[in-house]
Amino acid sequence: MDNKNHWLGEEEKLFAHRREAYDVGGQKQLDRLAKQGKKPVRDLIGQLIDPGTAFLEVGLDAGFEIGYPEQPHIPGGGLVTGVGKVHGKDCMVFGNESRMTAGTYYPITLKKHMRAQKIAEECGLTCIYIADSGGIFLPMQEECFADEGMFGSMFYNMCNMSAKGIKQYTLSTGGNTAGGAYIVYLACESIMIERMSFAFLAGPPMVKSAIGEDVSMEDLGGADVHTRHSGGCDHFVRSQDEGIEKLRDLIKFNPPQKIFIDRRETKEPRVPLERLYELLPKNTYAVINVREVIKCIADDSYFSEYKKEYKPGRGDTIVCGKMWLKGIPVGIIASNSIGVIFIEAARKAAEWMIRCANDKTPLLFIQGAPGYMVGKEEEWGGIGKYGADMVRTCSTVQVPKVQWVIGPDHGAANYGMCGRAYRPRFCFQTMRARTSTMSGRTASFILTSLERKKAKATGKEMNEEEVARFDKMMREKYDREAHPFFTGARLFHDGVITFRESRDVLARAFELALHQSIPDSVFGNVKF
């Protein structure tokens, strides 16, 4: 019960996090929107998606205590992104949070926007933009404007997805100025609202400055201008509600989506999901039995394990096998016991990835590994080689991959267990996750040892009180930077989820990933 109470308390911090993002700016901002005749963007998204269906939000943790000198705290990153069903079709929705500095783009906003576009492209999801943005946050223009991955890349991505047949729709609910106007102009079809939506390459003040012309926003680039004269927009509506209905009407004509896998009937787990609150210790580095964790999320709690008897104590620090997740067959690579990856565990994991890749079974990485085993015995035995085989295989499999972090996530284990750099289709963390180069304890020991060595080289001895202060400082630094709120603020993952949400969210992630067919995996120049 103590364990469960701890995790419920931790998840309450997560709910507080979410509430702040949902209510950015508080009542003052709601009142401002109401005066403009506007609704908050999440209310519009709620109207857009099919009644009774869930909105899978991605990147909600972005921007929290991000630390920009110009704007240190951006709850939600200034943008709402996520997947919802419209007429039964999964769509990626982008909504500017105009309550956060008029929906302007910070570096983290751009990163969030383009992460959602990448998911949409990989999963073949129609994109819907609810646009109300002042463009780049000008005090940080040097970090937002001219490079690859900055402001222009949003529009580059729109063009290329459209060229591939991935539909792009825009409902403008406010101003779209300069480059931001392309969110209207580049859409496959766009909608503007009478006396609420505006799009122009330069606003009235810039026009006045450049050519001396006095012109109102409405006459320069309002809905009437672009639907009746310039042709820059396709549909004229008179309210946000009408705009949402028009969006739904457009998507009605899109073809139905497929799931490219043999999906069977869903069966609820025989072991309740609530059991996770008791199974996962408060101490992130404590021993776990991941087989029991799998029973909580697997259909009928059924798991077919691969090489279960192989090298007990070494080969079973990674557990491999197959299960069904809401009817979807899924291959499992899961950290177990102390989580440290020995030679035998690395061999087994790489071999299993190849087998799943060849029979086109998607992979779920349940990550809780602090790293690969170190020491003379392991190095002589080939831990570098076999760990590299894990990394190589994880890099080259073409099946959809999803990562779920339930414990330590350090060093090269982050690589072999499909961390963000290894292109998982989705990456979710729990409040138990800790992602960093190494643990705070290990980092503190290494850095303190280096400081002692430097002092000794100059003929000095370190003051033990200073050592203790330095040790404490380094532990706190690493522990803070490994926390899922810190990593989520920087979009190192797609969101922190509760234990209760895990089965639904993971199944939804695979469902979305499987809207695209799975290509053959090729390892080097050899097809296994």
Short mmCIF file of all heavy atoms in Angstrom, two decimals, residues 399-449:
data_model
loop_
_atom_site.label_atom_id
_atom_site.label_comp_id
_atom_site.label_asym_id
_atom_site.label_seq_id
_atom_site.Cartn_x
_atom_site.Cartn_y
_atom_site.Cartn_z
N VAL A 399 10.19 -2.38 -38.56
CA VAL A 399 8.87 -2.50 -37.92
C VAL A 399 8.63 -1.29 -37.02
O VAL A 399 9.58 -0.67 -36.54
CB VAL A 399 8.77 -3.80 -37.09
CG1 VAL A 399 8.89 -5.01 -37.99
CG2 VAL A 399 9.81 -3.83 -35.98
N PRO A 400 7.37 -0.92 -36.79
CA PRO A 400 7.10 0.16 -35.83
C PRO A 400 7.65 -0.20 -34.44
O PRO A 400 7.50 -1.34 -33.98
CB PRO A 400 5.57 0.23 -35.81
CG PRO A 400 5.14 -0.34 -37.11
CD PRO A 400 6.13 -1.41 -37.43
N LYS A 401 8.26 0.80 -33.81
CA LYS A 401 8.83 0.61 -32.48
C LYS A 401 8.19 1.62 -31.53
O LYS A 401 8.01 2.80 -31.90
CB LYS A 401 10.34 0.82 -32.50
CG LYS A 401 11.11 -0.13 -33.41
CD LYS A 401 12.57 0.26 -33.54
CE LYS A 401 12.76 1.53 -34.35
NZ LYS A 401 14.17 1.84 -34.67
N VAL A 402 7.88 1.20 -30.34
CA VAL A 402 7.36 2.08 -29.30
C VAL A 402 8.19 1.83 -28.04
O VAL A 402 8.47 0.68 -27.69
CB VAL A 402 5.86 1.82 -29.01
CG1 VAL A 402 5.38 2.63 -27.82
CG2 VAL A 402 5.02 2.14 -30.25
N GLN A 403 8.59 2.90 -27.37
CA GLN A 403 9.34 2.76 -26.12
C GLN A 403 8.49 3.22 -24.95
O GLN A 403 7.81 4.26 -25.02
CB GLN A 403 10.64 3.58 -26.16
CG GLN A 403 11.57 3.28 -24.99
CD GLN A 403 12.62 4.36 -24.74
OE1 GLN A 403 12.31 5.55 -24.76
NE2 GLN A 403 13.85 3.96 -24.51
N TRP A 404 8.52 2.44 -23.87
CA TRP A 404 7.81 2.76 -22.62
C TRP A 404 8.82 2.66 -21.50
O TRP A 404 9.34 1.58 -21.21
CB TRP A 404 6.66 1.77 -22.44
CG TRP A 404 5.81 1.94 -21.21
CD1 TRP A 404 5.39 3.11 -20.66
CD2 TRP A 404 5.26 0.89 -20.39
NE1 TRP A 404 4.61 2.86 -19.56
CE2 TRP A 404 4.52 1.51 -19.37
CE3 TRP A 404 5.33 -0.50 -20.44
CZ2 TRP A 404 3.84 0.78 -18.39
CZ3 TRP A 404 4.66 -1.23 -19.47
CH2 TRP A 404 3.92 -0.59 -18.45
N VAL A 405 9.15 3.79 -20.88
CA VAL A 405 10.22 3.81 -19.87
C VAL A 405 9.60 3.72 -18.48
O VAL A 405 8.82 4.57 -18.07
CB VAL A 405 11.08 5.09 -20.00
CG1 VAL A 405 12.26 5.03 -19.03
CG2 VAL A 405 11.57 5.26 -21.43
N ILE A 406 10.00 2.67 -17.74
CA ILE A 406 9.43 2.42 -16.41
C ILE A 406 10.51 2.40 -15.33
O ILE A 406 10.26 1.97 -14.21
CB ILE A 406 8.64 1.10 -16.38
CG1 ILE A 406 9.55 -0.10 -16.67
CG2 ILE A 406 7.47 1.14 -17.36
CD1 ILE A 406 8.91 -1.45 -16.38
N GLY A 407 11.71 2.87 -15.66
CA GLY A 407 12.79 2.83 -14.68
C GLY A 407 13.99 3.61 -15.17
O GLY A 407 13.86 4.54 -15.96
N PRO A 408 15.21 3.21 -14.76
CA PRO A 408 16.41 3.92 -15.20
C PRO A 408 16.60 3.78 -16.70
O PRO A 408 16.26 2.76 -17.30
CB PRO A 408 17.54 3.22 -14.42
CG PRO A 408 16.99 1.90 -14.00
CD PRO A 408 15.52 2.10 -13.83
N ASP A 409 17.16 4.81 -17.30
CA ASP A 409 17.31 4.88 -18.76
C ASP A 409 18.61 5.63 -19.03
O ASP A 409 18.60 6.80 -19.36
CB ASP A 409 16.08 5.60 -19.34
CG ASP A 409 16.15 5.78 -20.85
OD1 ASP A 409 16.76 4.95 -21.53
OD2 ASP A 409 15.57 6.77 -21.35
N HIS A 410 19.72 4.91 -18.85
CA HIS A 410 21.03 5.58 -18.85
C HIS A 410 21.96 5.04 -19.93
O HIS A 410 21.86 3.88 -20.35
CB HIS A 410 21.72 5.40 -17.50
CG HIS A 410 20.95 5.94 -16.34
ND1 HIS A 410 20.30 7.15 -16.36
CD2 HIS A 410 20.71 5.42 -15.09
CE1 HIS A 410 19.69 7.37 -15.19
NE2 HIS A 410 19.94 6.32 -14.42
N GLY A 411 22.90 5.91 -20.32
CA GLY A 411 24.01 5.51 -21.17
C GLY A 411 23.59 4.82 -22.44
O GLY A 411 22.55 5.10 -23.05
N ALA A 412 24.41 3.84 -22.86
CA ALA A 412 24.16 3.14 -24.11
C ALA A 412 22.91 2.26 -24.04
O ALA A 412 22.38 1.88 -25.09
CB ALA A 412 25.37 2.29 -24.49
N ALA A 413 22.42 1.96 -22.83
CA ALA A 413 21.16 1.21 -22.74
C ALA A 413 20.02 2.03 -23.33
O ALA A 413 19.06 1.45 -23.87
CB ALA A 413 20.86 0.85 -21.29
N ASN A 414 20.09 3.33 -23.24
CA ASN A 414 19.10 4.19 -23.89
C ASN A 414 19.11 3.95 -25.40
O ASN A 414 18.06 4.00 -26.05
CB ASN A 414 19.41 5.66 -23.58
CG ASN A 414 18.56 6.62 -24.38
OD1 ASN A 414 18.92 6.98 -25.51
ND2 ASN A 414 17.46 7.06 -23.83
N TYR A 415 20.28 3.66 -25.95
CA TYR A 415 20.39 3.44 -27.39
C TYR A 415 19.85 2.06 -27.78
O TYR A 415 18.98 1.93 -28.65
CB TYR A 415 21.85 3.53 -27.84
CG TYR A 415 22.56 4.81 -27.47
CD1 TYR A 415 23.96 4.87 -27.45
CD2 TYR A 415 21.86 5.96 -27.14
CE1 TYR A 415 24.63 6.03 -27.12
CE2 TYR A 415 22.51 7.14 -26.81
CZ TYR A 415 23.90 7.16 -26.79
OH TYR A 415 24.55 8.31 -26.46
N GLY A 416 20.39 1.01 -27.13
CA GLY A 416 19.98 -0.35 -27.48
C GLY A 416 18.52 -0.63 -27.19
O GLY A 416 17.91 -1.51 -27.81
N MET A 417 17.94 0.13 -26.23
CA MET A 417 16.53 -0.05 -25.87
C MET A 417 15.64 1.00 -26.51
O MET A 417 14.57 1.34 -26.02
CB MET A 417 16.38 -0.05 -24.35
CG MET A 417 17.00 -1.26 -23.66
SD MET A 417 16.18 -2.82 -24.07
CE MET A 417 14.67 -2.65 -23.12
N CYS A 418 16.11 1.54 -27.64
CA CYS A 418 15.28 2.37 -28.54
C CYS A 418 14.87 3.71 -27.94
O CYS A 418 13.70 4.10 -27.98
CB CYS A 418 14.05 1.60 -29.00
SG CYS A 418 13.35 2.24 -30.54
N GLY A 419 15.86 4.45 -27.42
CA GLY A 419 15.61 5.83 -27.00
C GLY A 419 15.29 6.71 -28.19
O GLY A 419 15.31 6.28 -29.35
N ARG A 420 15.02 7.96 -27.92
CA ARG A 420 14.52 8.89 -28.95
C ARG A 420 15.38 8.91 -30.21
O ARG A 420 14.85 8.99 -31.33
CB ARG A 420 14.45 10.30 -28.34
CG ARG A 420 13.95 11.35 -29.30
CD ARG A 420 12.50 11.14 -29.69
NE ARG A 420 11.69 12.22 -29.19
CZ ARG A 420 10.39 12.18 -29.05
NH1 ARG A 420 9.75 11.08 -29.35
NH2 ARG A 420 9.72 13.20 -28.60
N ALA A 421 16.69 8.83 -30.07
CA ALA A 421 17.57 8.90 -31.23
C ALA A 421 17.40 7.71 -32.17
O ALA A 421 17.84 7.76 -33.33
CB ALA A 421 19.03 8.98 -30.78
N TYR A 422 16.74 6.64 -31.71
CA TYR A 422 16.59 5.43 -32.51
C TYR A 422 15.20 5.33 -33.15
O TYR A 422 14.77 4.27 -33.58
CB TYR A 422 16.99 4.20 -31.69
CG TYR A 422 18.48 4.30 -31.47
CD1 TYR A 422 18.98 5.10 -30.44
CD2 TYR A 422 19.37 3.76 -32.38
CE1 TYR A 422 20.34 5.30 -30.31
CE2 TYR A 422 20.73 3.96 -32.25
CZ TYR A 422 21.22 4.74 -31.22
OH TYR A 422 22.57 4.97 -31.11
N ARG A 423 14.56 6.48 -33.22
CA ARG A 423 13.34 6.69 -33.99
C ARG A 423 12.17 5.78 -33.60
O ARG A 423 11.52 5.19 -34.48
CB ARG A 423 13.59 6.54 -35.50
CG ARG A 423 14.81 7.26 -36.07
CD ARG A 423 14.77 8.77 -35.87
NE ARG A 423 15.75 9.43 -36.71
CZ ARG A 423 17.02 9.71 -36.36
NH1 ARG A 423 17.43 9.38 -35.14
NH2 ARG A 423 17.83 10.32 -37.18
N PRO A 424 11.89 5.62 -32.31
CA PRO A 424 10.63 4.94 -31.99
C PRO A 424 9.47 5.75 -32.55
O PRO A 424 9.53 6.98 -32.56
CB PRO A 424 10.61 4.91 -30.46
CG PRO A 424 11.45 6.07 -30.04
CD PRO A 424 12.52 6.19 -31.10
N ARG A 425 8.43 5.10 -33.01
CA ARG A 425 7.29 5.83 -33.53
C ARG A 425 6.68 6.69 -32.43
O ARG A 425 6.21 7.79 -32.68
CB ARG A 425 6.27 4.83 -34.09
CG ARG A 425 5.35 5.38 -35.16
CD ARG A 425 6.08 5.83 -36.40
NE ARG A 425 6.85 4.80 -37.04
CZ ARG A 425 6.40 3.99 -37.98
NH1 ARG A 425 5.15 4.06 -38.38
NH2 ARG A 425 7.20 3.10 -38.55
N PHE A 426 6.69 6.16 -31.20
CA PHE A 426 6.28 6.92 -30.01
C PHE A 426 7.18 6.53 -28.86
O PHE A 426 7.67 5.39 -28.79
CB PHE A 426 4.82 6.61 -29.63
CG PHE A 426 3.80 7.11 -30.60
CD1 PHE A 426 3.34 6.29 -31.63
CD2 PHE A 426 3.27 8.39 -30.49
CE1 PHE A 426 2.40 6.73 -32.53
CE2 PHE A 426 2.32 8.85 -31.40
CZ PHE A 426 1.88 8.01 -32.42
N CYS A 427 7.38 7.47 -27.94
CA CYS A 427 8.18 7.22 -26.74
C CYS A 427 7.44 7.84 -25.55
O CYS A 427 7.22 9.05 -25.51
CB CYS A 427 9.55 7.86 -26.90
SG CYS A 427 10.57 7.80 -25.41
N PHE A 428 7.03 6.98 -24.60
CA PHE A 428 6.30 7.45 -23.42
C PHE A 428 7.07 7.09 -22.16
O PHE A 428 7.75 6.06 -22.10
CB PHE A 428 4.90 6.82 -23.37
CG PHE A 428 4.03 7.20 -24.53
CD1 PHE A 428 3.75 6.28 -25.54
CD2 PHE A 428 3.49 8.48 -24.63
CE1 PHE A 428 2.95 6.62 -26.62
CE2 PHE A 428 2.70 8.83 -25.71
CZ PHE A 428 2.43 7.91 -26.71
N GLN A 429 6.94 7.94 -21.16
CA GLN A 429 7.60 7.70 -19.88
C GLN A 429 6.57 7.66 -18.75
O GLN A 429 5.45 8.17 -18.89
CB GLN A 429 8.65 8.78 -19.59
CG GLN A 429 9.78 8.79 -20.59
CD GLN A 429 11.08 9.34 -20.03
OE1 GLN A 429 11.12 9.99 -19.00
NE2 GLN A 429 12.18 9.08 -20.72
N THR A 430 6.97 7.05 -17.64
CA THR A 430 6.17 7.07 -16.42
C THR A 430 6.88 7.96 -15.41
O THR A 430 8.01 8.40 -15.63
CB THR A 430 6.05 5.65 -15.84
OG1 THR A 430 7.36 5.20 -15.46
CG2 THR A 430 5.46 4.69 -16.86
N MET A 431 6.24 8.19 -14.29
CA MET A 431 6.87 9.01 -13.25
C MET A 431 8.07 8.29 -12.63
O MET A 431 8.85 8.90 -11.90
CB MET A 431 5.85 9.38 -12.18
CG MET A 431 4.81 10.37 -12.64
SD MET A 431 5.50 11.98 -13.15
CE MET A 431 5.90 12.70 -11.55
N ARG A 432 8.24 7.02 -12.92
CA ARG A 432 9.40 6.26 -12.41
C ARG A 432 10.61 6.38 -13.33
O ARG A 432 11.72 5.99 -12.96
CB ARG A 432 9.00 4.79 -12.26
CG ARG A 432 9.96 3.95 -11.44
CD ARG A 432 9.41 2.56 -11.17
NE ARG A 432 10.30 1.82 -10.29
CZ ARG A 432 11.28 1.02 -10.72
NH1 ARG A 432 11.45 0.84 -12.02
NH2 ARG A 432 12.05 0.38 -9.86
N ALA A 433 10.44 6.92 -14.52
CA ALA A 433 11.52 7.00 -15.50
C ALA A 433 12.60 8.00 -15.07
O ALA A 433 12.30 9.04 -14.47
CB ALA A 433 10.96 7.42 -16.85
N ARG A 434 13.85 7.67 -15.41
CA ARG A 434 14.97 8.57 -15.18
C ARG A 434 15.93 8.44 -16.35
O ARG A 434 16.62 7.44 -16.50
CB ARG A 434 15.70 8.25 -13.87
CG ARG A 434 14.87 8.46 -12.60
CD ARG A 434 14.52 9.93 -12.36
NE ARG A 434 13.79 10.14 -11.12
CZ ARG A 434 12.47 10.06 -10.98
NH1 ARG A 434 11.72 9.79 -12.04
NH2 ARG A 434 11.90 10.29 -9.82
N THR A 435 15.99 9.48 -17.20
CA THR A 435 16.80 9.44 -18.42
C THR A 435 17.97 10.41 -18.33
O THR A 435 17.76 11.63 -18.23
CB THR A 435 15.94 9.79 -19.65
OG1 THR A 435 14.89 8.83 -19.78
CG2 THR A 435 16.76 9.78 -20.92
N SER A 436 19.18 9.87 -18.34
CA SER A 436 20.38 10.71 -18.33
C SER A 436 21.58 9.85 -18.71
O SER A 436 21.48 8.62 -18.83
CB SER A 436 20.61 11.33 -16.95
OG SER A 436 20.75 10.32 -15.96
N THR A 437 22.73 10.49 -18.89
CA THR A 437 23.95 9.77 -19.26
C THR A 437 24.24 8.65 -18.27
O THR A 437 24.65 7.56 -18.64
CB THR A 437 25.14 10.74 -19.30
OG1 THR A 437 24.80 11.87 -20.09
CG2 THR A 437 26.37 10.07 -19.88
N MET A 438 24.05 8.95 -16.99
CA MET A 438 24.25 7.98 -15.92
C MET A 438 23.47 8.45 -14.71
O MET A 438 22.90 9.55 -14.72
CB MET A 438 25.74 7.84 -15.59
CG MET A 438 26.41 9.14 -15.16
SD MET A 438 28.21 9.04 -15.06
CE MET A 438 28.67 8.99 -16.79
N SER A 439 23.43 7.64 -13.66
CA SER A 439 22.73 8.05 -12.45
C SER A 439 23.49 9.16 -11.74
O SER A 439 24.70 9.35 -11.96
CB SER A 439 22.58 6.86 -11.49
OG SER A 439 23.84 6.51 -10.95
N GLY A 440 22.78 9.91 -10.90
CA GLY A 440 23.43 10.97 -10.12
C GLY A 440 24.52 10.43 -9.23
O GLY A 440 25.59 11.05 -9.07
N ARG A 441 24.32 9.25 -8.65
CA ARG A 441 25.32 8.65 -7.76
C ARG A 441 26.59 8.33 -8.52
O ARG A 441 27.70 8.65 -8.07
CB ARG A 441 24.74 7.38 -7.14
CG ARG A 441 25.67 6.69 -6.14
CD ARG A 441 24.97 5.51 -5.48
NE ARG A 441 24.69 4.46 -6.44
CZ ARG A 441 25.56 3.51 -6.79
NH1 ARG A 441 26.78 3.51 -6.26
NH2 ARG A 441 25.23 2.58 -7.65
N THR A 442 26.45 7.74 -9.72
CA THR A 442 27.62 7.39 -10.52
C THR A 442 28.34 8.64 -11.01
O THR A 442 29.58 8.73 -10.95
CB THR A 442 27.21 6.51 -11.72
OG1 THR A 442 26.52 5.37 -11.24
CG2 THR A 442 28.41 6.08 -12.53
N ALA A 443 27.58 9.60 -11.51
CA ALA A 443 28.19 10.84 -12.00
C ALA A 443 28.95 11.55 -10.89
O ALA A 443 30.06 12.05 -11.10
CB ALA A 443 27.11 11.75 -12.57
N SER A 444 28.36 11.58 -9.71
CA SER A 444 29.00 12.24 -8.58
C SER A 444 30.32 11.56 -8.23
O SER A 444 31.34 12.22 -7.99
CB SER A 444 28.06 12.22 -7.37
OG SER A 444 28.74 12.65 -6.22
N PHE A 445 30.33 10.22 -8.23
CA PHE A 445 31.54 9.48 -7.90
C PHE A 445 32.65 9.77 -8.91
O PHE A 445 33.80 10.04 -8.55
CB PHE A 445 31.25 7.97 -7.86
CG PHE A 445 32.46 7.13 -7.58
CD1 PHE A 445 32.90 6.94 -6.28
CD2 PHE A 445 33.16 6.52 -8.62
CE1 PHE A 445 34.03 6.17 -6.02
CE2 PHE A 445 34.28 5.75 -8.38
CZ PHE A 445 34.72 5.57 -7.07
N ILE A 446 32.29 9.72 -10.22
CA ILE A 446 33.28 9.95 -11.27
C ILE A 446 33.84 11.36 -11.19
O ILE A 446 35.06 11.58 -11.21
CB ILE A 446 32.66 9.69 -12.65
CG1 ILE A 446 32.35 8.20 -12.83
CG2 ILE A 446 33.59 10.18 -13.77
CD1 ILE A 446 31.55 7.90 -14.07
N LEU A 447 32.95 12.35 -11.08
CA LEU A 447 33.41 13.74 -11.08
C LEU A 447 34.18 14.09 -9.82
O LEU A 447 35.15 14.85 -9.87
CB LEU A 447 32.20 14.66 -11.27
CG LEU A 447 31.54 14.54 -12.65
CD1 LEU A 447 30.22 15.29 -12.67
CD2 LEU A 447 32.46 15.07 -13.75
N THR A 448 33.76 13.53 -8.69
CA THR A 448 34.50 13.77 -7.45
C THR A 448 35.90 13.16 -7.54
O THR A 448 36.89 13.76 -7.12
CB THR A 448 33.75 13.18 -6.24
OG1 THR A 448 32.45 13.77 -6.17
CG2 THR A 448 34.48 13.46 -4.95
N SER A 449 36.00 11.96 -8.13
CA SER A 449 37.29 11.31 -8.31
C SER A 449 38.21 12.15 -9.18
O SER A 449 39.42 12.29 -8.90
CB SER A 449 37.11 9.92 -8.94
OG SER A 449 36.34 9.09 -8.10
#
